[in-house]
Amino acid sequence: MTNLTFYERTRDALEDPTVNQAIRVGARRFVSHRASTVSGLPEMDSLRDRARVIRAETLNKLDVFLAEFADNVELNGGRVFWAKNADEANDYVVKLAAARGVRHVVKSKSMVTEEIELNHALEVAGVRVIESDLGEFIAQLAGERPSHIIAPVLHKTRGEVGKLFEEELNVAYTEEPIALNDIARSHLRDIFLSSDMGISGVNFGVAESGTLSLVTNEGNGRFCTTTPRIHVALMGMERLVPTFADLGTMLPVLEISATGQRLTVYNNLLTGPRRSGEPDGPEELHVVILDNGRSDTLASEVAEILYCIRCGACLNICPVYQSIGGHAYGSVYPGPLGSVLTPTLMGLEQWHELPHASTLCGACKEICPVRIDIPSLLLRLRDASSKANHSPVWIRTLMRIYSIVARHPKLFQLGMRFASVSSRLFAKEDWLNRLPPPLNGWTDHRNFRALAKKSFGQQWAERRSTEHTS
Amino acid sequence: MEHSDRSIDKETVLFELGDGIRNCAQLMVTCLVDAIYPSVGISAVEVLEAQGITVEFPSDQTCCGQPAFNSGYWKDARAMARHTLDVFSVTNGPIVVPSGSCTDMIVHQYTELLKDDAEYLAKAQDVAGRTYEFTQFLVDKMGLDDVGARFRGRAAYHSSCHGLRGLNLREQPRVLLSHVEGLKQVELPCSEECCGFGGLFSVTMSSISGSILERKLDNLEESGADLLLGNDVSCLMHMAGGLKLRGTQIEVKHISEVLNTHD
C-alpha cells in the first residue's frame, strides 16, 4: 500500500489537522450513538454474552458448520469456491468474469475484497469496478483505501467530499450531505442497471440454510446482489452462525455496536440465486469462502480475534485510532482489531509495530460486542514479536538487564541510587527537559521527573532505625 | 463537618493472621514510587497506620515485572514475577499496592504468565488472592469511606485504565475523596479515556502518546481543576511532565497524599 514506515505514516497523520479532527469527531459520534442506544437497552449485556457464546461455538466446530453451509448454498442453487489465499479468490472471480463476458462490476462494501485486493485484480483483467457504498465510492474516487471498516471515509470532511465530486464528477460544488448523497445516487443508478456482476461481502453466513446475511444502510447492498445477473459473495471463513435464530442475537449486537442503530436500514437475507418463477434476483450466485491465514489463526494463541464481527466499535473508542486514524496503520484492518488481525493474517515480521500501537487501556475489550480480550491478544503478539527479535535491540537489552537487576535487591537498590544521582545532576527543580536517545521520545512530549534523593526503601529503613533507637 | 473516630479500635480484628498477629498489611510500594515518588509510599503507610493497621515492608521487593510484560518480554517478566512472588508468598495477610496497574499485574497477569509453572502458579494464586490496590483496600477490605483528611483544592480524578477496567476501581477513590474536608471534586471531561501513557509506548510511540496526552490535558484545563489526582504514579508522572512542559500550574498528586493531609 505504501512505502512509508509505520512511524512516518503516524507522523503524517498527526501533522494533518483536518484528518485528525475529522476522525476524532466521527469516531466519537459513533461512540456516543452507541452509548445512548445501549443506555436504553438493559438486555445489551446479556445479548453480548450470548453473542460471544455463539461465536465460540461456531469456531469450535467451524469445519462442521462450513461443510453444512456450503452444502446448503449448493442445494439452494449457488456455487461455492474454497479459496486458500487471496490469489485463488481473485483468480476465481477474474476467470468467472471473463467466462461470462462481464465488463462492469458493481460492488457493495466488503473488507474481505479489500484484504485480497480484488478490485485491482479485476481492473488488471480489464473489468471496470465501481464501489456503490457511498463511503467506498468516495474513497474510490479519491484513489484511497478505507480508513475505517464501516465508515470508509471517516477521515474526510464534507468539504473535501464536495471538492472531490466537483473535480471527478463534474458537478457544482456543494457540501450539503443530502445534495452530495443525491449526486452519488444519480451517478450510481445507471451503474447498478448496467453492471453484469455484483460483488458483496457477507456479514453472516447461516449454516443451517445457506443464507447470506448482508447489512447496509444505503440499499446498495440489495441493488448489487439482485440487479446484475451474477452475484459473487466473498466471505471470510469464520463469518458463520449455526442457525437462523442466531441472527436474532448477532444482528442487533453488530448493528448497535457499529452505529448505535437498533436496526440497520437494510437487513438482507439472500438464500440462493433467482428460482424459477421469481421476478428478480441474480441468475447465478457464487460464494467464495476465503481462508487466507484464518486456519492458521484458528490454531494460534490469538484465535479469539476470529470472534470479531467487524462492527468497528474498537476503532471508534481507541485513543490511538482517534489520534492517527485508519491509514496510518498501513493495513486493511486498522485499529485494535487490525493490530491483532493484520500481523496474524499477513505476517508478524512485516507488521510487528502494530501490536505495539496501543496503550493497553482496555477500552476496546470493554466495548467489544463479543468481548474479545484484545489487550491480551496484543500482548501475546508482542511476546511473539520479541521472541522473533523484531523489536529494537535497546529495548531487548534494557529489559534483560532490568530483569536481572530486579532479581537482586541490593543491585536493584544500587542501580536506583545511580539513576537518582545521575538524573539529579541534570535536573532543574526535580525536572529534566531532555533525556538522551533512545529515551528522548519521552521528553519530546513531556518533561521527565528526576528520581528522588532518597528512595522509599531508604526512608523506610531510617524510619525503622529511629523507631528502634527511640 | 464532624468526623466520627474512624480509626479501628485496637481490639477490632479486621483480619487474623494466626499466632496472634492481626491487622497487619504488607506494602508493595512499586518501583516507581520507590524511586521517584517515595512520598506516595510514606503517605500510604501513614494513612494505613492511622487506621490501626501495622504495615510491613518486605525489603527485597523490586519491580513486579509489568514493564517487561507489557512490552512483550514475557521471559524477563516471568523472572521478575517469580522474584516478587518469592518475596511476598512468605508473608502473611493482605498486600497493599499504591498502584492500580501493578495490582492488576499481580492479580490478573501473573497467573497467565506462570500458567505452565505449577509451583509459581500456586504462589501467584495465593498472592493474587490477597493483593489490593490502596483505595480498594481502604474501601472494600476495611469498609472505610472517610479517613479524616482535610485538603483544600478543586480536584479532578483520573481513573487510570488498568485499575479502572482491570480492577473495576470506579467508586472507591471517589468515595474517599468525597469525604475529604475542603476538597471539591470537579468532573474531568472524558474521564475514562486513557491519558496516553502506555508504558514503553510513551517512548517508542511518543508522538501518538503525546497526542493523546494533549487531549487529556486540554480536558483537565477545561475542568477548572487546580489539582490532578490519580492512583497510578506512572500515568501521573506522564501527565505531570506534560503539564510542566506546557507551563500549566496544576498540581499533581497521588490520592494517598491527599488522604494523608490533615491541615
Side-chain angles (χ1 to χ4, degrees), chain A residues 293-351:
Chain A
R294 287 164 174 77
S295 292
D296 293 339
T297 304
L298 192 57
S300 77
E301 56 178 5
V302 297
E304 195 185 336
I305 199 62
L306 294 177
Y307 287 22
C308 175
I309 57 174
R310 306 287 191 273
C311 69
C314 64
L315 281 60
N316 302 331
I317 198 84
C318 177
V320 173
Y321 183 88
Q322 284 189 14
S323 278
I324 62 174
H327 287 153
Y329 289 82
S331 54
V332 171
Y333 301 103
L337 126 84
S339 294
V340 179
L341 195 62
T342 309
T344 309
L345 293 182
M346 315 287 177
L348 192 55
E349 187 172 356
Q350 191 192 344
W351 297 102

Side-chain angles (χ1 to χ4, degrees), chain B residues 52-111:
Chain B
I53 302 288
T54 308
V55 179
E56 288 184 355
F57 175 72
S59 61
D60 280 351
Q61 59 181 283
T62 55
C63 166
C64 69
Q66 191 188 180
F69 179 71
N70 282 355
S71 43
Y73 292 85
W74 286 18
K75 193 175 161 228
D76 299 323
R78 226 168 258 131
M80 289 190 255
R82 287 194 182 106
H83 173 77
T84 301
L85 289 171
D86 283 338
V87 171
F88 283 96
S89 60
V90 295
T91 65
N92 286 310
I95 299 159
V96 182
V97 190
S99 154
S101 65
C102 304
T103 307
D104 186 61
M105 176 73 192
I106 293 167
V107 172
H108 292 129
Q109 313 298 351
Y110 274 14
T111 45

Side-chain angles (χ1 to χ4, degrees), chain A residues 362-441:
Chain A
C364 48
K365 176 186 178 185
E366 192 173 57
I367 205 168
C368 174
V370 290
R371 306 190 193 281
I372 301 173
D373 191 348
I374 297 176
S376 166
L377 303 184
L378 291 170
L379 281 167
R380 287 174 206 184
L381 290 175
R382 289 182 183 186
D383 180 43
S385 166
S386 78
K387 278 181 185 151
N389 288 337
H390 293 318
S391 38
V393 176
W394 73 267
I395 299 179
R396 202 181 322 151
T397 313
L398 179 75
M399 287 303 160
R400 180 51 46 85
I401 293 171
Y402 191 54
S403 91
I404 292 169
V405 171
R407 270 173 286 162
H408 300 91
K410 292 282 174 284
L411 194 58
F412 188 82
Q413 285 149 15
L414 195 69
M416 289 295 188
R417 287 305 84 221
F418 174 75
S420 165
V421 170
S422 45
S423 72
R424 301 190 71 78
L425 211 57
F426 298 99
K428 241 187 260 162
E429 289 168 3
D430 287 339
W431 290 93
L432 289 97
N433 52 24
R434 211 161 52 187
L435 286 175
L439 300 173
N440 54 326

Side-chain angles (χ1 to χ4, degrees), chain A residues 6-7 10-11 14 20 24 28 301 317-320 322-324 353-354 356-363 365-366 376 379-380 382-384 386-387 391-392 394-396 398-400 402-410 412-413 416-417 420 428-429 431 433 438-460 463-464 467, chain B residues 27 29 31-42 45-46 49 54-57 59-63 65 67-80 83 87 109 112 115 161-162 164-165 170 190 192-215 219 234 236-245:
Chain A
F6 176 78
Y7 297 94
T10 303
R11 182 202 57 208
L14 288 169
N20 230 282
R24 203 160 308 137
R28 286 179 182 219
E301 56 178 5
I317 198 84
C318 177
V320 173
Q322 284 189 14
S323 278
I324 62 174
E353 291 103 343
L354 292 190
H356 291 274
S358 163
T359 64
L360 304 173
C361 76
K365 176 186 178 185
E366 192 173 57
S376 166
L379 281 167
R380 287 174 206 184
R382 289 182 183 186
D383 180 43
S386 78
K387 278 181 185 151
S391 38
W394 73 267
I395 299 179
R396 202 181 322 151
L398 179 75
M399 287 303 160
R400 180 51 46 85
Y402 191 54
S403 91
I404 292 169
V405 171
R407 270 173 286 162
H408 300 91
K410 292 282 174 284
F412 188 82
Q413 285 149 15
M416 289 295 188
R417 287 305 84 221
S420 165
K428 241 187 260 162
E429 289 168 3
W431 290 93
N433 52 24
L439 300 173
N440 54 326
W442 178 277
T443 39
D444 286 347
H445 298 276
R446 26 188 144 34
N447 289 1
F448 183 76
R449 172 89 182 193
L451 275 68
K453 211 179 252 171
K454 274 187 190 166
S455 71
F456 175 85
Q458 286 173 303
Q459 295 187 32
W460 178 269
R463 195 168 181 255
R464 276 294 130 113
E467 276 168 21
Chain B
L27 177 70
V29 81
C31 58
L32 284 184
V33 169
D34 187 30
I36 304 183
Y37 294 100
S39 63
V40 170
I42 299 291
V45 168
E46 289 178 356
E49 285 177 346
T54 308
V55 179
E56 288 184 355
F57 175 72
S59 61
D60 280 351
Q61 59 181 283
T62 55
C63 166
F69 179 71
N70 282 355
S71 43
Y73 292 85
W74 286 18
K75 193 175 161 228
D76 299 323
R78 226 168 258 131
M80 289 190 255
H83 173 77
V87 171
Q109 313 298 351
E112 158 85 16
K115 62 178 183 232
C161 300
H162 286 200
L164 180 71
R165 300 194 178 89
R170 285 187 158 77
C190 309
E192 294 199 350
E193 221 171 80
C194 179
C195 68
F197 170 63
L200 260 189
F201 173 84
S202 60
V203 175
T204 57
M205 300 201 179
S206 71
S207 55
I208 307 176
S209 169
S211 145
I212 303 170
L213 173 64
E214 291 302 313
R215 298 205 293 275
N219 285 329
S234 50
L236 292 175
M237 177 175 76
H238 161 78
M239 289 185 281
L243 288 169
K244 191 80 190 163
L245 188 61

Side-chain angles (χ1 to χ4, degrees), chain B residues 18-32:
Chain B
D19 300 331
I21 304 169
R22 59 176 65 147
N23 298 352
C24 171
Q26 308 296 326
L27 177 70
M28 155 117 199
V29 81
T30 79
C31 58
L32 284 184

